[in-house]
């Protein structure tokens, strides 16, 4: 009829080619069957929550991560450093933690006389501390970990190199571990204690200056002379305190940045893959049509498939439908008229794809940009510190300047790669927008062919026609080579690429793959290498592992062990550290042991106090100087009344430095608080009917007034010392008595007493548990018997009422 064009006929593909593409491989579809091509709507974040959930990172030392990098040449310690921040690894159960102690370095006591080197180190830190940790003054606030309080958000100061050095000491069934700032494992050695079959654990007592660690096995000593304790000393944490403080903070901060970058890359990769999934399915269907019409040959390569699609789309733009490209035109017409190309469905899909790509770009900027900026600054600061320490001939270098420069270079490469990645994302968003708009308009034009001039199809085709500028941009990027993140090479496999991104000519997945290794390029030319984000990040992780491994070697080399043997067996023991008094007059709130011989000198900056229950009714108190190499030890004895037995021993001490929060004042003075010794005493009482009752009581007394006897260590004391057996009796020991039974004898020490429980002697029960907190002035007693009870006691003293209440021991504690 007049006014109508002839109907457009879409010819079917040749019959001999229909079965060739029956098993067309789907591209970049993980977990789907290879013989199915499905079209799915792109959702921005709905599918992410239901996908594979990875185990969150856990800093607990009771677990470790299994290594799976068999192709690297790192040592086991370096590999474990990387694995500590690899959330993708599976946790492997290790030896349980049987002892733990967290200690912060204590400032010098006011009575100490500092040496010249200590004054110089303190003055040097006062000046150099003004030049580090300056990033927060010019970097954006999101470059630092912040946490919100009730009134405002503030920066977490534990990441700052100005935070005082603290050490977490951990004991497992076979090893000892030192963690600086609770994260940087500076050393691990076997302790050698045989604790098999004993559920007693290990006590760890660290000196206030962190240079000494007393390790004591809490199992009863069955034979005399066996090794029950060991004193580990290292001068490194004292002499290089501020260096270790800086390195541990930077270790924690740098690895935290790298971990955040890795999580951002993983999240962005998933978002990019989800955004392109529906387009991949559509272009796979188009390539299958081209193969069925003998326009293209079946190929497993994503790049070759995309090249064929790009060529035919470009021909469609330049020449339209012609007899020269009849088979290709038929394939494209069938592609544009598929049910999945319905305008409303396709328009909804376009919005979903564009929203997903925009969300992916937002993730890149929010999760990766700030950590990379902070990483570049911190690695630059670490390199400057390493160079300055390398120029100091008086001290050894803990951080290799060349490795620090390598780390800084990789951080710069990571930053430059990220900037190029953002530029490619912006380009990809523009190309996707233009290509999808052109496909929508072309699909409407194909449907309008053969319809009336005033039909709704014609009207829709006119309304959806894209501007000439869009067509020019689409034809431009279809006719130019792909913008690749790496240089094309026959040695590189591009199996990670998506078909849709190859069609638009921006293979963004190259940035998230490790197809190019930075180790293949010389250090001088690394800044110009077209490197991917993942490969640069992996190189940074490996360089960090090597860089922070050198301080571990220095720590292990300076670590010395002194075994402690006791000639007298014991049943219960406890240990504690004290700040010693110096030669100055101001010796208040410090431990200065009294000597039986007034001429004996007993000055030491730190003391390790060990209290043991020996024989029947005697308690041995041993004080060992916390020096790098002790030359003597002090010994004293305490005697209990008859029918009294020690069941538990705990120290009630306040070091004045129990808080682990950062304190940036290096001139702060730490003074000890309450210092006492707590005992669970079992008192036996015979009743009138001949039966026996056992009364458990809590005794607390101050032990600073006890007189000690000094014993010099022999010439073989560099490896082991032996605490000789003392001939304790009631004549040469201080007798302990409660306040209600004490007399005015000079050799009697009055203790405060609190009754805990009473039970029959024939009842088999578990040992009473005791825990004392000197900083809070409280005690917790868990007793077992006919019923289990927990008593929380207030041990704080009111000095004004102390004399009035001293006559009644049970009234000294409040429950």
């Amino acid at each position: 009829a007049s006014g109508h064009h002839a109907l457009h006929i879409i010819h079917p593909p040749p019959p001999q080619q229909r079965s060739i593409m029956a098993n067309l491989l789907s591209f970049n579809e993980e977990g789907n069957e290879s013989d199915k091509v499905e079209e799915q709507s792109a959702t921005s974040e709905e599918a992410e929550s239901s996908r594979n959930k990875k185990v969150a990172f856990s800093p607990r030392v009771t677990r470790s991560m299994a290594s799976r990098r068999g192709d690297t040449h790192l040592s086991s310690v370096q590999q474990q450093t990387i694995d500590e921040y690899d959330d993708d690894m599976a946790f492997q159960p290790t030896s349980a933690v049987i002892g733990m102690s967290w200690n912060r370095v204590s400032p010098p006591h006011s009575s100490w006389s500092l040496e010249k080197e200590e004054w110089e180190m303190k003055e040097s830190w006062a000046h150099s501390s003004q030049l580090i940790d300056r990033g927060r003054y010019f970097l954006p606030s999101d470059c630092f970990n912040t946490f919100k309080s009730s009134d405002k958000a503030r920066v977490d100061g534990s990441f700052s190199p100005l935070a005082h050095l603290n050490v977490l000491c951990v004991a497992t069934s076979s090893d000892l571990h030192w963690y600086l700032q609770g994260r940087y494992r500076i050393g691990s050695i076997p302790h050698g204690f045989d604790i098999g079959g004993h559920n007693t654990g290990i006590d760890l007592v660290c000196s206030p200056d962190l240079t000494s660690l007393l390790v004591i096995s809490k199992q009863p000593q069955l034979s005399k002379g066996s090794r029950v304790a060991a004193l580990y000393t290292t001068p490194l944490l004292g002499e290089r305190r501020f260096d270790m403080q800086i390195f541990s903070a930077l270790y924690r901060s740098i690895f935290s940045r790298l971990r955040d970058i890795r999580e951002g890359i993983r999240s962005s990769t998933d978002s990019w893959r989800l955004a392109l999934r529906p387009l991949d399915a559509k272009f796979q269907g188009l390539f299958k049509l081209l193969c069925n019409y003998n326009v293209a040959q079946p190929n497993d390569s994503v790049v070759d498939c995309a090249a064929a699609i790009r060529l035919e789309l470009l021909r469609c733009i330049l020449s339209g439908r012609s007899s020269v490209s009849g088979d290709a035109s038929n394939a494209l017409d069938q592609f544009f008229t598929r049910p999945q190309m319905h305008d409303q469905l396709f328009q909804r899909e376009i919005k979903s794809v564009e929203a997903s790509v925009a969300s992916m770009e937002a993730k890149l900027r929010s999760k990766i940009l700030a950590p990379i900026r902070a990483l570049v600054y911190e690695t630059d600061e670490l390199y400057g510190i390493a160079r300055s320490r390398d120029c100091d001939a008086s001290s050894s270098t803990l951080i290799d300047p060349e490795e620090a420069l390598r780390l800084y270079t990789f951080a710069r490469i990571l930053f430059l790669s990220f900037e190029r990645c953002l530029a490619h994302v912006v380009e990809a968003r523009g190309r996707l927008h233009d290509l999808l708009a052109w496909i929508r308009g072309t699909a409407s034009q194909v449907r309008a062919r053969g319809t009336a001039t005033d039909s709704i199809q014609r009207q829709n085709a006119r309304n959806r026609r894209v501007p000439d500028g869009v067509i020019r941009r689409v034809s431009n990027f279809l006719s130019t080579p792909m913008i690749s993140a790496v240089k094309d090479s026959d040695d590189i496999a591009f199996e990670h690429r998506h078909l849709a991104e190859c069609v638009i000519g921006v293979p963004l997945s190259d940035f998230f793959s490790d197809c190019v290794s930075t180790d293949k390029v010389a250090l001088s030319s690394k800044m110009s290498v077209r490197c991917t984000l993942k490969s640069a990040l992996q190189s940074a992780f490996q360089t960090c592992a090597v860089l922070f491994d050198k301080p571990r070697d220095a720590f292990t080399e300076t670590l010395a062990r002194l075994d402690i043997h006791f000639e007298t067996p014991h049943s219960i023991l406890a240990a504690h550290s004290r700040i010693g008094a110096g030669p100055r007059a101001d010796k208040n709130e410090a431990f200065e042991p009294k000597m039986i011989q007034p001429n004996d000198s007993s000055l030491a900056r730190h003391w390790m106090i060990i209290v043991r229950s020996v024989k029947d009714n005697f308690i041995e108190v041993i004080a060992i100087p916390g020096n790098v190499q002790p030359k003597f030890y002090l010994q004293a004895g305490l005697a209990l009344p008859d029918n009294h037995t020690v069941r538990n021993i705990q120290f009630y001490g306040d070091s004045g430095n129990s808080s682990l929060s950062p304190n940036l004042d290096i001139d702060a003075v730490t003074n000890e608080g309450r210092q006492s010794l707590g005992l669970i005493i079992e008192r036996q009482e015979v009743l009138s009917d001949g039966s026996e009752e056992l009364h458990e009581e809590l005794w607390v007394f101050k032990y600073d007034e006890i007189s000690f006897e000094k014993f010099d260590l022999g010439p073989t004391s560099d490896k082991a010392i032996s605490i000789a057996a003392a001939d304790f009796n009631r004549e040469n020991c201080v007798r302990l008595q409660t306040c209600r039974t004490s007399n005015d004898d000079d050799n009697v020490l009055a203790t405060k007493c609190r009754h805990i429980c009473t039970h029959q002697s024939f009842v088999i029960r578990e040992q009473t548990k005791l825990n004392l907190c000197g900083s809070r002035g409280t005690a917790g007693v868990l007793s077992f018997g006919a019923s289990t009870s927990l008593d929380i006691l207030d041990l704080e003293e009111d000095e004004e009422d102390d004399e009035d209440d001293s006559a009644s021991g049970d009234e000294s504690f409040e429950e």
Side-chain angles (χ1 to χ4, degrees), residues 60-66 80 83 90-94:
R60 289 178 291 179
V61 296
T62 57
R63 297 187 176 184
S64 64
M65 298 182 180
Q80 187 174 354
D83 294 344
F91 284 116
Q92 295 289 340
T94 60

Side-chain angles (χ1 to χ4, degrees), residues 463-485:
N463 294 336
R464 296 164 188 168
R465 182 177 181 179
V466 295
D468 185 64
V470 174
I471 299 178
R472 289 180 179 273
R473 289 194 297 268
V474 173
S475 61
N476 183 34
F477 71 72
L478 288 178
S479 60
T480 56
M482 290 189 297
I483 306 176
S484 178

